[in-house]
Structures are given as structure tokens and as C-alpha cells.
Amino acid sequence: MKDYISVALPKGRLGDRVYSMFESAGYSCESMRINDRRLVFENPDAGIRFFRVKPTDVAIYVERGAADIGIAGKDVLLEYSPDVYELLDLKTGICRMCVCGMSDFRDDRSRTLRVATKFPNLARRYYDERSREIDIIKLNGSIELAPILGLSDVIVDIVETGRTLAENGLTVLDTVLPISARLIANKSACRFKWDGISAVCEKVGKEADKQ
């Protein structure tokens, strides 16, 4: 059986952009461009196997060895701290993790700050560094609603254009960190498949440099 390099791609626009890099680097798979319900795609000639998963699950598939390499946002890597190697900044999926709130927000340090977020670990580390006492409110969607409805004082969330914030009377109060997509690898796979993985990394890296 051919020794494939298995790649976990995030579903959605980021996965499509990254796949285009792989395609340009010589790791194409024609069936990926067909709109069907399949999740696994192979190109025996290129020795590559792709499968699509939820973006937050990519690091799990790579860490557990179901994928040799994968593409995950820096936010996911910092939030969950998976035991993987980070090989390459793909220079796409660029955005920011930010603290946001109502445009008239003023922080009253005499009381606990209520912070709504999908990223409790990142938010906790950010405020710990500032010795700020906070109450984390973990939400899974519609984060912008939290300060509007008085559920939280601020939110910690990903900001790409800032349009949704502005349309809802919110503004960026501080930038926590810049984010982009990273190529990650399973540690064991790097021992046994390094030639293949390093070749992919080099070729895809050249495509990333063109971004």
C-alpha cells in the first residue's frame, strides 16, 4: 500500500484557500473540486490524502495521528495547546483576536470584569498577564450579543474586517494577538515520514510566500 501523507483540511473558505496552495504546489486531487458529500480524497500519484474536518478538530486529528499534517489557526493552537509541531505560517486566514465592547465602554477595575468568549484559555491568559480579575462566560456563537444584552462587559473574539462589530455598536478595545493559518504535524509522523512531510512543507511554503 502506498505510503500517503494524510492532510487534515479545515472545512470552509480557509480550507479551500489552503487546498489551492497544495494544488499549485503539485499536490492536487481532482475530486476535491467536485461538490459531493465525500470527506476523504486521494491522489496515489502524488502520494497525498486529504480529508475535511471541522476547523477546531484539525489539531485533534493531527495530535492523535489520524492525520500526518493539518492546517489550524494560531488561535486554535494557543487555546487548546495540542502536542504537535508547528511547521509553517501559511500567511492566509489572517485576522486578529481582540477584546471588544460597546463604544462607550469604560473599565471599572473596582469590580470583576465579565468576559464572553469562545476562547476561555486565551482570554484567561490575556487578563492574568494584566492582573485583572474576570468572570469568563463561555459562549459558542453570536458573541457580539453578550455586551449588547448586558450579559458581559466585553468579548474576546476573532475580528477580520470589524464590520459586524461596527454594525452592532461595538468597537475593538485591544488586540490580543495576530492570527493566521499554520501547517502543523504529528510528532510521530515527523519521525517516520519526514522526507515526505518536509517536501510538502517546502513546496507549500513557496506558495504561501506568494500570498
Side-chain angles (χ1 to χ4, degrees):
M1 183 176 177
K2 191 173 181 67
D3 194 16
Y4 286 93
I5 299 296
S6 294
V7 185
L9 284 176
K11 294 180 180 179
R13 290 180 300 168
L14 177 59
D16 292 339
R17 289 198 297 268
V18 171
Y19 172 70
S20 293
M21 290 184 190
F22 276 84
E23 192 174 47
S24 298
Y27 298 101
S28 63
C29 190
E30 291 184 9
S31 57
M32 289 282 289
R33 296 297 186 184
I34 300 173
N35 186 19
D36 61 20
R37 294 182 180 273
R38 283 187 295 171
L39 297 174
V40 181
F41 309 86
E42 297 178 351
N43 181 340
D45 293 332
I48 202 85
R49 175 190 293 119
F50 297 99
F51 56 91
R52 298 184 185 276
V53 298
K54 186 177 179 180
T56 52
D57 289 343
V58 168
I60 298 172
Y61 278 86
V62 175
E63 181 180 33
R64 296 283 183 164
D68 299 314
I69 59 177
I71 291 80
K74 186 65 175 178
D75 54 314
V76 172
L77 300 180
L78 290 174
E79 176 66 21
Y80 299 105
S81 301
D83 188 22
V84 298
Y85 291 133
E86 184 179 322
L87 301 180
L88 190 66
D89 183 349
L90 294 176
K91 302 172 185 176
T92 191
I94 295 172
C95 51
R96 298 176 292 160
M97 181 73 68
C98 296
V99 178
C100 308
M102 303 300 292
S103 56
D104 60 352
F105 171 78
R106 296 294 181 271
D107 188 8
D108 179 2
R109 295 184 67 91
S110 67
R111 65 180 183 83
T112 300
L113 184 70
R114 297 170 301 159
V115 182
T117 185
K118 300 176 187 176
F119 305 93
N121 294 324
L122 272 169
R124 179 72 64 187
R125 284 198 294 270
Y126 171 83
Y127 281 105
D128 281 349
E129 290 172 357
R130 288 153 180 80
S131 301
R132 185 67 171 96
E133 185 178 353
I134 63 170
D135 174 20
I136 291 284
I137 303 168
K138 176 69 166 64
L139 295 177
N140 296 307
S142 301
I143 302 294
E144 294 85 1
L145 270 176
I148 294 172
L149 299 181
L151 177 64
S152 73
D153 300 306
V154 296
I155 63 175
V156 172
D157 201 16
I158 293 172
V159 176
E160 190 168 357
T161 66
R163 186 177 305 158
T164 301
L165 292 175
E167 290 177 351
N168 289 282
L170 302 175
T171 188
V172 172
L173 303 173
D174 195 12
T175 296
V176 177
L177 60 103
I179 295 170
S180 59
R182 309 300 170 101
L183 181 67
I184 61 174
N186 174 268
K187 290 187 173 181
S188 180
C190 282
R191 290 177 57 199
F192 297 105
K193 297 184 178 182
W194 179 244
D195 287 347
I197 290 173
S198 62
V200 171
C201 191
E202 180 181 358
K203 293 176 183 178
V204 173
K206 290 179 179 178
E207 296 303 317
D209 287 339
K210 297 176 182 178
Q211 298 296 306

